[in-house]
Every structure is written in C-alpha cells, then in structure tokens.
Amino acid sequence: MTVSADFMRRLAAVAAAETLPRFRMEGSISNKEASGFDPVTEADREAERAIRALILSEYPGHGILGEEHGAENITSSHVWVIDPIDGTRAFISGLPVWGTLVGLTIEGDAKAGLMSQPFTGELFYALGDGAHFEGPGGPRRLATRATVALSDATLFTTTPALFKGAMRERYDRLEASVRLPRYGTDCYAFAMVAAGHADIAVDAGLQAYDIVALIPLIEQAGGVVTTWTGGAAEGGGDILASANPVLHEKALKLING
C-alpha cells in the first residue's frame, strides 16, 4: 500500500485546525494521573478525533490506535498510531516543541509516519522512499549525520528525571560521553536526529504512540531506532535513536556496559 505525501499533508492540516487555535490560549487542562501530572487538553482530544475521521474516510478497513480515544480494528494488517499532541506539557507551557505524530504500521512494522509542528510550519514525513521535510527554507530530503564518535555527538532527552534508579546511572554514562546534551524536546528531538541537527535521542517509558511515527522518519533518513536492549521499537519502552549504525552500536554498548 502506498501513502501519498498529499495524504500526510491533509493529516497535518486537520490536526493543525484543532491545535493551533488553542495554542497559547487559555483552555481546560485535565490530569490523567491520580498521583502525578499527565495533562490532556481539548486540543489533544479534538485533533485526534479529526485525524481518525480522515483516516477512516480514506482507509475504512485500517485499524487505529490513538492516545486519547483508544484502539479500533487493531487486528488489521494496517494500523495507524496517533499521538495528537506529543509534548502536551510543552503545549500548555507555550513552547513550540510539541508535535502531532501519525504513524502507519504494516504487519507490526512502522512503514510511514509524520511529525507536524504547525506553529513553526514544519512537516517531517516518511513514506517508504526516504524521509522528507516541508517548511521554512523549502522542501528537502532528510539525511542523518555521519557522526561516529560519542565525544562529537549532540544528545537530546525530554528530561533526565525520566530515568529512575539504575537506569539513571546508565543514562548519565551516556550523557557524560557526548559533547552536548539538551533537554525538553519530546518528539522534536527525534525529528532533529532525522533532519541531521542532532545525533542521539533517548527517552524512557515511551508508549507505541510516542514513537511509531518517528521510526520511519529516522530509519529512512539513515538512522537507527531500537529499545535499549536493541530490539524493535514499535511497541515503545526505553528508546534509543541514533544518526547511524556505528554511533548506535557505541551508545548501546555504553548504556548496557
């Protein structure tokens, strides 16, 4: 099955129609956790509803797994995985490092995906023929960096606070080995690896809807995405993404050493 670039643009547009009018505006925020803070907004719910409606109108036989509205027909060979606003904490704080994620798995493998940041006018997508960017500066094909030394690498993570206990020690080893660590970027971190602006993105405890859309972006730009044990990342978990296989192997070895 072929997904068109036009369909990716349409998905991004229907999501943006719900998210942008609510960004940096006062709106209701709900907490999904009894202890702690896991925010969800009207923008999350309405954007996912719009995305789901478009997918089902175009591909009625496909399944959908979404963060806000759950699963339907996920025994289908083709399943769309949606995070309407990845980085809701950034969204409610007025920071434009959130993004809309929509990925497509075929027989469990992530084959196509998009990350849209409508406030900055950026669309990153992969269709199977490479990874692409549309936005400021004009369209271009994405390619990851050739960095092979950890000491030359730029690393992104959402926050080191995600890493608990022994995991924090393992993360700290990786951070100490790189040239430049940066925090607070959610899905934007992975898009920057795909775009060749960073070398490593690492996060803990991701759900499938946090990562499926980003796997094709990075892989089709030349990078690698796995769990910390080197396994498939489609199911989520503790995730490491690197600009190339050599760097990825070094990072895995360090955090598992």
Side-chain angles (χ1 to χ4, degrees):
M1 190 213 81
T2 300
V3 177
S4 70
D6 180 66
F7 186 65
M8 291 301 200
R9 296 182 194 110
R10 290 164 59 201
L11 287 170
V14 297
E18 302 296 339
T19 57
L20 273 183
R22 296 175 170 94
F23 183 51
R24 296 182 177 172
M25 302 292 289
E26 292 297 326
S28 62
I29 301 168
S30 303
N31 185 12
K32 293 191 283 188
E33 284 190 5
S35 59
F37 183 55
D38 186 10
V40 61
T41 70
E42 182 181 62
D44 291 90
R45 291 187 289 263
E46 294 307 313
E48 182 173 321
R49 187 173 287 114
I51 293 166
R52 294 171 85 104
L54 179 56
I55 290 170
L56 291 176
S57 70
E58 191 85 7
Y59 303 109
H62 288 191
I64 296 179
L65 173 64
E67 180 176 15
E68 307 305 337
H69 298 294
E72 57 183 294
N73 193 28
I74 57 171
T75 57
S76 171
S77 61
H78 292 62
V79 177
W80 294 85
V81 184
I82 305 165
D83 191 344
I85 299 177
D86 184 86
T88 301
R89 291 171 178 82
F91 183 91
I92 66 175
S93 303
L95 298 175
V97 291
W98 52 276
T100 293
L101 300 178
V102 185
L104 174 64
T105 62
I106 301 177
E107 304 292 354
D109 294 329
K111 297 295 189 182
L114 71 82
M115 193 288 263
S116 168
Q117 211 319 308
F119 188 77
T120 58
E122 295 177 287
L123 175 62
F124 305 81
Y125 63 91
L127 304 172
D129 62 343
H132 307 271
F133 171 82
E134 294 179 2
R140 64 184 176 91
R141 195 177 183 93
L142 299 180
T144 57
R145 285 179 173 175
T147 306
V148 293
L150 287 169
S151 58
D152 293 331
T154 295
L155 174 149
F156 285 157
T157 189
T158 299
T159 170
L162 290 172
F163 306 99
K164 309 295 185 183
M167 279 195 72
R168 180 59 185 267
E169 297 175 10
R170 296 163 69 191
Y171 167 77
D172 285 346
R173 284 202 303 270
L174 181 61
E175 181 181 305
S177 74
V178 304
R179 180 172 64 183
L180 176 64
R182 299 295 295 165
Y183 307 150
T185 44
D186 293 291
C187 63
Y188 216 86
F190 294 87
M192 292 300 95
V193 172
H197 300 303
D199 304 291
I200 296 171
V202 58
D203 266 328
L206 299 187
Q207 300 298 318
Y209 45 72
D210 296 314
I211 192 64
V212 163
L214 298 163
I215 294 170
L217 278 178
I218 293 171
E219 290 183 343
Q220 293 176 37
V224 183
V225 188
T226 70
T227 64
W228 283 27
T229 59
E234 278 85 352
D238 306 321
I239 303 299
L240 175 71
S242 306
N244 58 73
V246 174
L247 188 67
H248 195 77
E249 186 64 29
K250 291 179 179 178
L252 277 180
K253 184 176 181 179
L254 188 62
I255 60 178
N256 288 304

